[in-house]
Amino acid sequence: MQKLDLPLGYYELPKGRLANVVTCLEMKFKPQSKDASLPAGYSLRRVDGNDLDGYRSIFRKVGEELMWFSRLILPDENLAAILGHPQVESYALYRGDTSIGVMELDFKDMPNCELAFFGLAKEAIGGGLGRALMNIAITKAWEKPITRFWVHTCHFDHPNALGFYRRSGFEPYGLMVEI
């Protein structure tokens, strides 16, 4: 490949790679409590490492158009170890018997908690479920002795994700470029 003479601030992207701008956000104080309940007919179920196919199915359903791939390519034993880790709380949101969302809280770096995954299937977006699920995530995170709750989003995520996180009480603290 021919080396390009690029202006300052531009970098050549390796062939076969994508660049992604990532915004990191944090919440350093527990916000005022909000209703942390789901509408009738919906439930939140804890996910462990025993149903990897079911987990990957909802992960794909939520994240396929958003380029979520990390959990899809992990070897089974690695994914089972994450989902079964005592400091990771992974949940699936259900409408009846159909999974329609994911939420994962990672407490491995205490006193920090990462909202590692959060999202709804396309057909569940826009009806207020995201707000209900976020209120539950915030409540569950701050039930532990944390001092910081953080999340990252990127330009591959839903176009309203950054605004949604900010309205939820997260404040941006950094930008990164992911290759």
Side-chain angles (χ1 to χ4, degrees), residues 7 21 29 33 36 40 42 45 66 70 77 97 104 106 128 135 137-138 140 149-150 153 159-161:
V21 177
F29 303 97
S33 294
Y42 293 87
R45 300 179 195 167
L66 307 174
S70 61
E77 60 273 7
D97 290 329
E104 184 173 294
D106 185 336
N135 290 347
I138 291 169
K140 285 186 173 300
F149 188 29
W150 72 280
T153 187
N160 297 334

Side-chain angles (χ1 to χ4, degrees), residues 114-130:
E114 178 185 6
L115 181 59
F117 290 99
F118 183 90
L120 298 174
K122 188 185 225 177
E123 69 271 14
I125 294 173
L129 285 173

Side-chain angles (χ1 to χ4, degrees), residues 46-133:
R46 188 84 182 254
V47 176
D48 58 24
N50 293 321
D51 182 12
L52 298 182
D53 290 339
Y55 175 83
R56 284 188 174 117
S57 175
I58 185 55
F59 189 89
R60 182 178 291 107
K61 188 179 195 181
V62 170
E64 190 165 44
E65 292 184 16
L66 307 174
M67 296 196 57
W68 288 14
F69 63 89
S70 61
R71 299 289 174 85
L72 302 176
I73 62 172
L74 268 181
D76 286 353
E77 60 273 7
N78 295 41
L79 180 56
I82 292 169
L83 297 176
H85 195 286
Q87 292 176 298
V88 173
E89 296 182 14
S90 190
Y91 299 88
L93 175 64
Y94 282 80
R95 178 176 39 229
D97 290 329
T98 304
S99 56
I100 59 166
V102 296
M103 174 184 77
E104 184 173 294
L105 304 170
D106 185 336
F107 294 98
K108 292 191 305 271
D109 182 30
M110 288 295 276
N112 300 296
C113 175
E114 178 185 6
L115 181 59
F117 290 99
F118 183 90
L120 298 174
K122 188 185 225 177
E123 69 271 14
I125 294 173
L129 285 173
R131 172 58 47 218
L133 189 60

